[in-house]
Amino acid sequence: MKDKKALEHEVSSSILAITGRKIEDVNCDLFGQPYYLKPRDMVYLFIEIQKNYGIKIPEEIINSKQFSTIDEISRIIKNIINNKKRL
């Protein structure tokens, strides 16, 4: 299992590939200043993460706005992977 820092790096790299924007602050709201990512870009990221990690991110996580920082996204990935291993 990858550690959280490795996941943060991978999520950052995916965002760079999708948007052309390098995100420095893993705790910064991706929808706010200074990045202002478009919802469309986040959908692409969401799909890429599910495909790359073989996970299903529950809709309630998206609706609760937890999918808005690199730190939170990495934590979501790690939690879902850990829960899959327990099953």
Side-chain angles (χ1 to χ4, degrees), residues 14-40:
S14 292
I15 292 171
L16 177 62
I18 291 166
T19 68
R21 296 181 187 197
K22 184 175 182 180
I23 309 295
E24 301 284 336
D25 182 358
V26 298
N27 294 304
C28 185
D29 183 353
L30 298 171
F31 292 106
Q33 290 183 347
Y35 303 111
Y36 297 110
L37 296 187
K38 296 176 180 151
R40 174 191 69 220

Side-chain angles (χ1 to χ4, degrees), residues 4-87:
K4 192 161 165 295
K5 288 291 179 196
L7 289 171
E8 288 172 355
H9 177 72
E10 290 175 2
V11 171
S12 269
S13 295
S14 292
I15 292 171
L16 177 62
I18 291 166
T19 68
R21 296 181 187 197
K22 184 175 182 180
I23 309 295
E24 301 284 336
D25 182 358
V26 298
N27 294 304
C28 185
D29 183 353
L30 298 171
F31 292 106
Q33 290 183 347
Y35 303 111
Y36 297 110
L37 296 187
K38 296 176 180 151
R40 174 191 69 220
D41 296 330
M42 296 303 284
V43 169
Y44 292 143
L45 178 63
F46 175 81
I47 292 167
E48 183 170 318
I49 286 171
Q50 290 192 130
K51 185 179 98 184
N52 289 347
Y53 295 99
I55 61 174
K56 172 87 170 104
I57 300 172
E59 187 176 328
E60 58 267 11
I61 288 176
I62 302 302
N63 291 339
S64 69
K65 298 187 170 78
Q66 292 178 40
F67 200 80
S68 61
T69 70
I70 292 173
D71 177 67
E72 291 170 341
I73 294 167
S74 300
R75 188 175 304 122
I76 290 165
I77 295 167
K78 188 171 177 95
N79 289 340
I80 292 172
I81 290 171
N82 285 342
N83 287 336
K84 276 179 73 172
K85 286 183 178 180
R86 290 184 204 149
L87 297 176

